[in-house]
Amino acid sequence: NLSDFEPRQRVAYADLPEIDRWALSQFEQLRERFVKAYDDFEFHIIFHGLQNFCAVTMSSFYLDIIKDRLYTAAGSSQERRAAQTVLYELTEGLLRLMAPVLAFTVAEAWGYLPPDPEREQDPAMAAFPAPRPEYRQPELDEKWERLILIRRELTRALEIARVNKVIGHSLEAMVTISASGELAGFLADKRQLLEDIAIVSQLEFGEISDGEVYESTELDGLRVLVSPAAGQKCERCWTRSISVGENSLHPTICERCTRVMLELEGA
């Protein structure tokens, strides 16, 4: 995902989407733990920390969500460059932190990083990532901890719908969320965000009167209905959209992908 990225193309921190700033906050916490663990010779903390960060925080959450931006946004768009900015910082930073214990792996991967004349040539001589206290965002971490829990509940509802043959892939789904009390207030302005992090084609808020409703036991007042999304499958981004077929130049893709293609074609 960094093959067409150069460090000079990094997006400023203030211009990064919220989920990207959350990822950097998570990495800064990891960096702090690792530096202390090295100082204390507690290498098991580094081993378990790497495993959890790469497999859970990154692979099953952050990377899963941003792949839509990486693969379907215009190559040089700010939204794609923002994701690449974070991936670049995470990759280089992780390699620096891994170097003392995974020297050969780091040495091999180091050569694949986008060229940077300011970077050390030999990872064995590379310093640990510099502290970035501005990346630490406790309020953001707290907010996204809650969003992760909500996403987990939506994923459970999607999995039940998949087992019941209501949908296949999550992008075939339209999700209706009903929430009450304080949770409803928290979700009120996050429709698009929830649609993105749940990786579904359509999501809306509303009362649910019928259907196979999933009622959360983790979050009081959360009810979820999964149904097939309206429209046809976009062959480029795989989302279901009623806009597929509207553009005669690109009849098999959705409106969002059509805008990208027209931009690339200079139309």
Side-chain angles (χ1 to χ4, degrees), residues 1 5-6 29 78 99 103 147 149 154 156-157 167 189 191 197 206 225 247 251 255 258:
N1 286 312
F5 181 78
E6 299 177 16
Q29 294 174 63
Q78 179 165 306
L147 285 168
L149 177 57
L154 297 181
R156 287 173 179 166
I167 59 168
D189 61 346
R191 191 204 65 78
I197 68 174
L225 176 66
N247 189 285
E255 180 184 13
T258 297

Side-chain angles (χ1 to χ4, degrees), residues 4 66-84 236-237 256-257 259-261 263-264:
D4 64 336
I66 66 169
K67 64 186 178 185
D68 180 70
R69 263 193 286 162
L70 288 168
Y71 302 158
T72 66
S76 59
S77 65
Q78 179 165 306
E79 57 182 329
R80 184 167 182 271
R81 292 299 189 211
Q84 289 180 308
R236 185 171 181 272
C237 69
R256 181 185 62 162
C257 287
R259 289 198 302 269
V260 174
M261 294 306 298
E263 179 182 337
L264 293 173

Side-chain angles (χ1 to χ4, degrees), residues 11 15 63 87 124 132 231 265:
V11 175
D15 296 327
L63 298 180
L87 292 182
R132 299 296 298 267
E265 295 163 358

Side-chain angles (χ1 to χ4, degrees), residues 72 232-237 239-247 250-263:
T72 66
Q232 301 179 55
K233 178 181 178 180
C234 171
E235 68 175 17
R236 185 171 181 272
C237 69
T239 60
R240 301 272 175 156
S241 174
I242 59 174
S243 64
V244 174
E246 290 182 350
N247 189 285
H250 298 285
T252 61
I253 60 178
C254 66
E255 180 184 13
R256 181 185 62 162
C257 287
T258 297
R259 289 198 302 269
V260 174
M261 294 306 298
L262 293 177
E263 179 182 337

